[in-house]
Amino acid sequence: MAEESKNESMTMSSISQYFDAYQTEEELKYFENIKILEFLNDKCSDIEKLVKLFPTDDIFNIQRFQNKKIVVKGYVQSGKTNFIITASAFFNLIGNKDIVIITRNFTDDELQLQSRIEQFVSDMRDSTIDSQGKYFINIGNPSSLKRLSSKLKGKEYILFIDEVDFVDNDGTLTNLQLEKLKKKAYCSFGISATVMDPLLKVESDRKSTRL
C-alpha cells in the first residue's frame, strides 16, 4: 500500500513537472500575475477598481495608464494609505516600475509609511512574491523634492501624492518641484479626503480621471 502511494506521488510529481516544462514563458508570467493580483485584492479590495480603470483586453497591460493623472478620494480612516501601498505594489510588480510616494512635510508621516511598506514587502515575500522596482518615500518640501528629482533621473516611476490638497498648493516652491515630478512620471495619483481643489487643477486635462 505504501509502495502504491509512493508510486502515485512520483507519477503526480512527474505530471506537474511535465506541464511546467511545456508552459510558455508568457503563460507562466500570466499565472504569476494572477497570483499577485489575488494577493493584492486580499490586501485591498479597492484595487479591483484600479485594475478595471481604462478597460482593455489585457488587464496586466499598464500602458493604458501612461501619462494619466488620477485623483483618488478616500474618506478619513477609509484606508487611503492601504490603497496607496497596494496600488503602488500593482505597478511595481506588474509593470516593474519604481514607486515615488510624497507625504506631507512631516517626518513622522514618512517614517510611518516606510514602516508599513516594509511590512507589506515582507508579507509579499512570505507569499513568495518578489518586489521588482524601488520605493522612494519623500516628505513634501522643496529642498527634499529637488534632491529626489536628481535621484530619479533616467527612471520610470509611478507618482503618488498623499494628502494632495494639503501638499500641492499653487504658487509654492513645493508645487514647482511637484510639477517637475509629475511631468516626468509614467502616471500620477493624487490622494485625499477632500479632492475638489486638485480635481479642479486637472479637470482641463483630458487625461485626468477621478477614481
Side-chain angles (χ1 to χ4, degrees):
M1 191 72 175
E3 187 65 28
E4 290 180 5
S5 178
K6 181 179 179 182
N7 289 337
E8 181 181 353
S9 176
M10 290 174 62
T11 303
M12 293 302 294
S13 176
S14 299
I15 291 173
S16 176
Q17 290 175 9
Y18 174 85
F19 279 108
D20 286 344
Y22 283 88
Q23 280 182 326
T24 66
E25 184 176 341
E26 185 176 335
E27 288 172 331
L28 288 171
K29 181 64 175 176
Y30 178 82
F31 288 123
E32 179 64 21
N33 285 343
I34 290 292
K35 175 185 173 183
I36 290 169
L37 202 54
E38 288 175 347
F39 171 85
L40 297 178
N41 194 58
D42 285 342
K43 290 290 185 181
C44 177
S45 59
D46 285 334
I47 200 69
E48 187 175 351
K49 297 177 184 178
L50 175 64
V51 173
K52 290 181 178 179
L53 205 59
F54 316 120
T56 176
D57 291 337
D58 181 5
I59 62 173
F60 300 120
N61 180 3
I62 72 161
Q63 289 182 357
R64 67 189 191 277
F65 291 96
Q66 191 168 10
N67 298 324
K68 297 292 194 300
K69 298 180 179 68
I70 302 165
V71 178
V72 181
K73 179 177 181 178
Y75 295 105
V76 176
Q77 301 300 319
S78 64
K80 296 192 303 296
T81 302
N82 189 41
F83 173 81
I84 291 172
I85 295 172
T86 310
S88 66
F90 172 78
F91 288 104
N92 181 277
L93 295 166
I94 304 296
N96 196 23
K97 296 286 184 286
D98 289 331
I99 305 299
V100 176
I101 305 175
I102 307 301
T103 69
R104 296 181 301 172
N105 191 18
F106 300 124
T107 304
D108 285 349
D109 285 11
E110 181 185 25
L111 294 176
Q112 183 181 23
L113 183 57
Q114 180 70 51
S115 176
R116 290 188 61 175
I117 287 178
E118 288 173 357
Q119 181 58 56
F120 194 93
V121 171
S122 176
D123 291 345
M124 287 194 296
R125 287 172 182 158
D126 289 343
S127 299
T128 65
I129 298 173
D130 292 326
S131 182
Q132 303 295 316
K134 294 181 179 180
Y135 285 84
F136 298 87
I137 304 169
N138 223 88
I139 56 176
N141 73 48
S143 57
S144 181
L145 292 174
K146 189 174 182 178
R147 288 194 297 271
L148 175 64
S149 292
S150 298
K151 294 179 184 177
L152 294 172
K153 284 183 178 178
K155 297 182 182 295
E156 273 196 333
Y157 60 89
I158 310 295
L159 176 65
F160 291 84
I161 306 175
D162 193 16
E163 304 293 354
V164 62
D165 53 337
F166 184 88
V167 175
D168 192 7
N169 294 304
D170 285 336
T172 64
L173 293 176
T174 297
N175 171 253
L176 291 175
Q177 293 300 326
L178 285 174
E179 287 301 316
K180 293 177 183 178
L181 287 173
K182 285 186 280 187
K183 186 177 180 179
K184 295 179 180 179
Y186 190 87
C187 72
S188 60
F189 289 78
I191 296 92
S192 180
T194 55
V195 298
M196 185 53 68
D197 285 345
L199 188 61
L200 290 173
K201 286 179 186 178
V202 298
E203 68 176 355
S204 61
D205 187 340
R206 293 181 180 178
K207 294 178 181 177
S208 298
T209 304
R210 181 172 177 174
L211 178 60

